[in-house]
């Protein structure tokens, strides 16, 4: 289970919250057990007194102390349960934040080569189900198991104090065996099946998302029925394996509960012998067996949690693999004084493929504007990725100032216009946003919207046309205070007249900044000082 080590280390960074949360759970358990045990004692005591009084024997019972104890345990159990739920759910949300922040930080630190081997649906699985499998490790596994062990030891101590050492040893052995069966035994018999189940679930989720995304193509090819039937077969197979896992968990849960009941019967039998020997009273006789039965509250949740531990370990294994530092971040040094960018004998190549560009030499002075043109497939975007630091140069050296990069693909987030633009500059004022929108000729468009800057753009900018989405992405990059801008196909989807007007405004906006713009031809570039053709 070494796959869980980095995530457990992350969870245990909050020891104070974990201990306090565990104590609240323990208070809830002990209040429940105390309520059961004291109620059993009180009922037995009043029944015996009633029988004696009916037989004409003088007897009495103190109703106030045990009655007050019962009320105390009832109230404390309710209060502890409420506080435990509120506090531990807050703890779980904090742990989820820690896990996600750590995961995002590691993903952001790695270069793109370390992330591009997974598809979108697979990343969706990593960021949702795999992360969710880790955030409840404490609440489902660690805390219940530790507290079950604590309660078992307390019950054994109670048996030793009220009965004798032999009874305490017997109760301890039987309840520990029940704990082992409910935890370790369940994990051992389900770990492989649960791990396979996790992998199959991810594969099925990926296939379903791809089916939805490619529904139009499948329908055009007349393959929707066959592909849908294949998905159903995969789902039925996964459900069958899930049923086998649940069956094993159920049997182990039944055995563990049987052992807990057996421990209660053992305590009752041994207590009866002590009662016959006048060592203990009748009410004390029923006190321990009922307290042991209270152990079922925590033992019930353990088999299901450990039945899913194999799946949790599989999730951790995938996250560890996909966040491994096999591809360290690309470090680009600052250029010599008097230059904004310098590339010497640069070769651009994707791993496993032939170089797309070789012997590229560039030297840009601060404020210089250079265009790079070439036909489709000539390597323009690869050069842009390399200059921006997303792709490691295959050969040569690269140095530049900090940059802002407009990728060839338009990326907008399911958020407001304001939030999307401020990703380029978090300190931008509303006036700055309107000015950059005016420059890309979108100010009038959003001024007509009821929410204006708070207009929702939709998933990947679905509420905008292709040209509008491209201009929003361009505006976001132009807001950046970076001294170097790299614009890959900045006017995709923009008509020639609009492109010409924006290009004129760009000359003033980019005053003092260095620009590298890439396009298929010079007419798709903003104003530049020189043009470098590729291919």
């Amino acid at each position: 289970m070494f796959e869980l080590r980095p995530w457990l280390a992350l969870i245990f960074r909050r020891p104070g919250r974990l201990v306090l949360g565990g104590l609240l759970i323990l208070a809830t358990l002990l209040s429940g057990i105390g309520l059961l045990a004291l109620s059993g004692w009180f009922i037995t005591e009043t029944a015996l007194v009633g029988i004696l009084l009916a037989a004409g024997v003088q007897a009495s019972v103190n109703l106030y102390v045990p009655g007050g104890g019962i009320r105390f345990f009832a109230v404390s159990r309710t209060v502890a349960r409420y506080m435990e739920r509120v506090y531990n759910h807050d703890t779980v949300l904090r742990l989820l934040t820690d896990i996600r922040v750590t995961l995002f930080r590691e993903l952001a630190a790695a270069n793109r080569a370390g992330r591009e081997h997974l598809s979108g649906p697979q990343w969706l699985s990593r960021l949702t189900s795999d992360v969710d499998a880790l955030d409840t490790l404490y609440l489902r596994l660690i805390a219940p198991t530790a507290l079950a062990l604590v309660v078992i030891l307390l019950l054994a101590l109670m048996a030793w104090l009220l009965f004798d050492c032999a009874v305490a040893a017997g109760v301890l052995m039987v309840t520990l065996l029940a704990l082992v069966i409910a935890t370790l035994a369940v994990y051992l018999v389900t770990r492989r099946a649960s791990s396979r189940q996790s992998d199959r679930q991810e594969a099925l989720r990926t296939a379903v998302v791809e089916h939805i995304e490619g529904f139009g193509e499948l329908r055009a090819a007349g393959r929707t029925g066959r592909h849908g039937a294949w998905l159903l077969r995969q789902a039925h197979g996964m459900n069958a394996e899930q049923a086998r896992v649940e069956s094993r968990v159920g049997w182990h849960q039944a055995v563990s509960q049987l052992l807990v009941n057996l421990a209660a019967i053992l305590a009752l039998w041994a207590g009866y012998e002590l009662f016959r020997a006048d060592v203990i009273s009748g009410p004390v006789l029923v006190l321990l067996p009922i307290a042991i039965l209270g152990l079922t509250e925590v033992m019930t949740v353990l088999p299901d949690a450990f039945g899913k531990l194999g799946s949790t370990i599989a999730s951790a294994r995938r996250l560890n693999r996909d966040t491994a530092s096999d591809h360290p971040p690309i470090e680009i040094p600052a250029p010599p004084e008097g230059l904004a960018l310098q590339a010497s004998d640069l070769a651009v190549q994707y791993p496993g493929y032939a170089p797309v560009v070789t012997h590229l030499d560039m030297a840009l002075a601060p404020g210089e504007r250079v265009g790079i043109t070439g036909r489709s497939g000539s390597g323009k975007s690869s050069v842009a990725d390399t200059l921006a630091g997303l792709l490691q140069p295959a050969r040569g050296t690269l140095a530049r100032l900090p940059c802002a990069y407009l990728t060839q693909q338009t990326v907008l987030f399911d958020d407001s216009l304001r939030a999307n633009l401020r990703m380029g500059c978090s300190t931008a004022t509303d006036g700055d946003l309107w000015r950059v929108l005016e420059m890309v000729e979108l100010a009038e468009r959003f001024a007509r919207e009821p929410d204006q800057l708070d207009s929702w753009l939709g998933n990947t900018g679905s509420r905008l046309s292709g040209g509008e989405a491209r201009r929003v992405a361009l505006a976001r990059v132009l807001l950046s205070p970076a001294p170097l801008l790299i614009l890959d196909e900045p006017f995709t989807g923009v008509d020639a007249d609009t492109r010409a007007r924006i290009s004129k405004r760009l000359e003033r906006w980019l005053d003092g900044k260095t620009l590298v713009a890439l396009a298929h031809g010079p007419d798709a570039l903003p104003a530049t000082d020189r043009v470098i053709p590729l291919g």
Side-chain angles (χ1 to χ4, degrees), residues 341-395:
L341 183 147
Q342 184 181 51
S344 302
D345 194 30
L346 205 64
V348 178
Q349 177 183 9
Y350 286 95
Y353 295 90
V356 292
V357 175
T358 58
H359 306 296
L360 178 62
D361 295 299
M362 292 178 62
L364 276 67
E368 188 176 0
R369 303 171 189 176
V370 173
I372 298 177
T373 61
R375 67 183 186 281
S376 179
S378 61
K380 299 186 302 300
S381 295
S382 301
V383 169
D385 286 347
T386 304
L387 297 179
L390 300 182
L391 182 62
Q392 183 74 46
R395 188 182 65 248

Side-chain angles (χ1 to χ4, degrees), residues 215-332:
F215 186 80
E217 288 78 3
L218 287 171
R219 186 171 185 179
R223 303 281 297 182
T224 53
R226 291 185 180 181
H227 197 262
W230 177 82
L231 290 175
L232 286 175
R233 289 195 299 271
Q234 298 301 310
H236 288 322
M238 187 182 71
N239 290 337
E241 189 162 34
Q242 179 66 27
R244 288 192 291 271
V245 171
E246 295 293 342
S247 176
R248 295 174 186 177
V249 170
W251 279 109
H252 282 75
Q253 185 176 35
V255 172
S256 68
Q257 295 298 319
L258 179 63
L259 288 173
V260 171
N261 292 331
L262 181 62
I265 294 173
L266 173 64
L268 185 63
W269 174 76
Y272 179 70
E273 294 298 323
L274 295 173
F275 171 73
R276 291 180 60 186
D278 289 330
V279 176
I280 60 174
S281 65
V284 174
L285 165 64
V286 302
L287 192 66
L288 181 61
I290 293 179
I292 293 174
L293 292 177
L295 183 62
T296 57
E297 182 176 358
V298 65
M299 295 287 286
T300 302
V301 303
L302 291 176
D304 182 64
F306 277 83
K308 296 176 181 177
L309 181 55
S311 173
T312 302
I313 293 174
S315 295
R317 186 185 305 117
R318 288 192 292 265
L319 290 173
N320 293 338
R321 179 192 65 207
D322 297 330
T323 58
S325 56
D326 296 337
H327 302 279
I330 300 172
E331 300 291 342
I332 299 179

Side-chain angles (χ1 to χ4, degrees), residues 116-188:
E116 60 187 5
H117 64 286
L118 293 181
S119 64
Q122 288 174 315
W123 277 120
L124 177 64
S125 178
R126 295 293 178 278
L127 300 176
T128 54
S129 60
D130 286 345
V131 169
D132 291 342
L134 297 176
D135 69 353
T136 54
L137 272 174
Y138 165 71
L139 207 54
R140 287 191 298 110
L141 286 167
I142 300 172
T145 305
L147 293 176
L149 182 59
V150 169
V151 172
I152 287 173
L153 294 176
L154 291 176
L155 288 173
L157 177 63
M158 181 179 176
W160 179 63
L161 293 175
L162 297 180
F163 290 17
D164 57 31
C165 293
V167 176
V171 169
L172 181 63
M173 287 189 295
V174 175
T175 51
L176 281 179
L177 179 60
L179 179 63
V180 170
I181 290 176
T183 55
L184 182 60
V186 172
Y187 167 67
L188 292 177

Side-chain angles (χ1 to χ4, degrees), residues 435-455:
R435 279 191 293 273
V436 76
L437 289 173
E438 179 69 31
M439 194 199 62
V440 297
E441 296 198 354
L442 286 176
E444 185 178 349
R445 157 75 167 82
F446 286 103
R448 294 194 302 266
E449 292 285 340
D451 296 325
Q452 297 190 349
L453 290 176
D454 293 317
S455 299

